[in-house]
Structures are given as structure tokens and as C-alpha cells.
Amino acid sequence: SGAAVIGVDASPEMLRVARAKAADASVVVRVGLADAHALPFATGSVDAVVSLRVLMHAIDWRTCVAELCRVARWRVVVDFPSSSSAAALESGARRIAKSLGRNVEAYRVIAERDVLAALQAHGFHPVIVRRLGRPAPDLPRQPRDHILAQPHRLAHLADRSAGAQVNDRRRQPGS
């Protein structure tokens, strides 16, 4: 009856925010302090892993992807600021501001092909790739591309489940 949700973060402040949001929504979520580079879960012990706004800040995003794949049994969902989106401009501007001594949090952009290669190197292949090249009206923040992947051993299920698809929300010129 339902799912057991576990949230981890390396930031105690973000854990406080998560607890407050879960309480406000009357949702039971277990949260704990953990580093995405070394998740405290056994191999294959989690049905689905969702990693939002992590890879862009991680010291070694490839290690984080490896850990997500290690602990996931069925699905991995990641988001990342794509190097082919407007996020690349924002990232560059933040690096310049930081080099000028401004108090901004810099982040990296990542090529989609590199994220796909990292997932595939750890036994997962993409089922859904959602590209959000520019902000959509319903998104309050800079959009990130999303990839949902499943283990190679489940490739035969792709056509029967979510289906292999690409959802590209970038606007075409003139639209």
C-alpha cells in the first residue's frame, strides 16, 4: 500500500526543508544525511532513485551516477543543466561572478551524451529523455533536462511500460 520514501542530502539545512515540506503535505518521508558519492544503501535495494539538482553541484557527478545505478533496482531519474541549453549561459555568468568575488553558487552544465554514457556504463539505458531547452511557462526556475533510465536487463519492457521516447520541449524558431 504505497511507497516508502527516503530522502537523503548532504546538507542538514536541506533536510530541515524536506522535513517541513513533507509535514506540510502530510506525507511520510524518512530523511537522512548522506553523500550522493557514497549512498548508504545496499546494491539493488531501492526500486527507484530520483536525483534532482544534485549532479550540477557534485564534486564528481559520474561517481554520483554510478551510486544511483548501484542502489537502484528498476529506475533512475536524473536532472541536469544541459550544456546545450540556456543553463550554459547562466553557468558561465555565475563562474565569472564568483571569480570577481561575488557570493554566488557556481554550477556545472553537463552534455546529455555524457550523462547517457555514464548511465549506460553502469547497466542502465534511457527510457525517456525530456529536453527542456528554455523555461516553460509552468516552470518557475531554470529548466533542467531529465532522463529516466532502467537496467539493460529490462530492455524488453520498454515498449510495454513508459515506452522509449524523447520529449523535446524546446520551442522551434518562429513559435
Side-chain angles (χ1 to χ4, degrees), residues 90-172:
E90 182 180 346
S91 176
R94 285 174 176 239
R95 280 194 307 271
I96 291 168
K98 189 164 184 77
S99 73
L100 296 173
R102 296 211 175 101
N103 186 19
V104 296
E105 184 175 8
Y107 67 86
R108 80 175 47 83
V109 292
I110 308 168
E112 178 183 302
R113 71 179 175 279
D114 293 340
V115 177
L116 291 171
L119 288 163
Q120 291 171 347
H122 297 286
F124 280 73
H125 73 275
V127 176
I128 297 173
V129 177
R130 184 175 183 205
R131 298 182 184 108
L132 299 171
R134 67 171 69 169
D138 59 329
L139 295 175
R141 305 182 110 196
Q142 176 66 35
R144 288 347 173 247
D145 288 4
H146 293 73
I147 296 175
L148 181 145
Q150 70 183 17
H152 294 310
R153 69 180 188 283
L154 300 178
H156 65 285
L157 298 178
D159 293 334
R160 287 183 275 168
S161 65
Q165 63 178 329
V166 173
N167 178 1
D168 192 338
R169 293 194 48 192
R170 280 181 253 187
R171 296 176 189 222
Q172 300 301 318

Side-chain angles (χ1 to χ4, degrees), residues 44-66:
S45 65
V46 179
D47 287 336
V49 178
V50 179
S51 173
L52 302 176
R53 303 191 188 283
V54 173
L55 300 183
M56 60 198 263
H57 300 294
I59 293 168
D60 181 356
W61 68 266
R62 286 178 177 87
T63 297
C64 295
V65 169

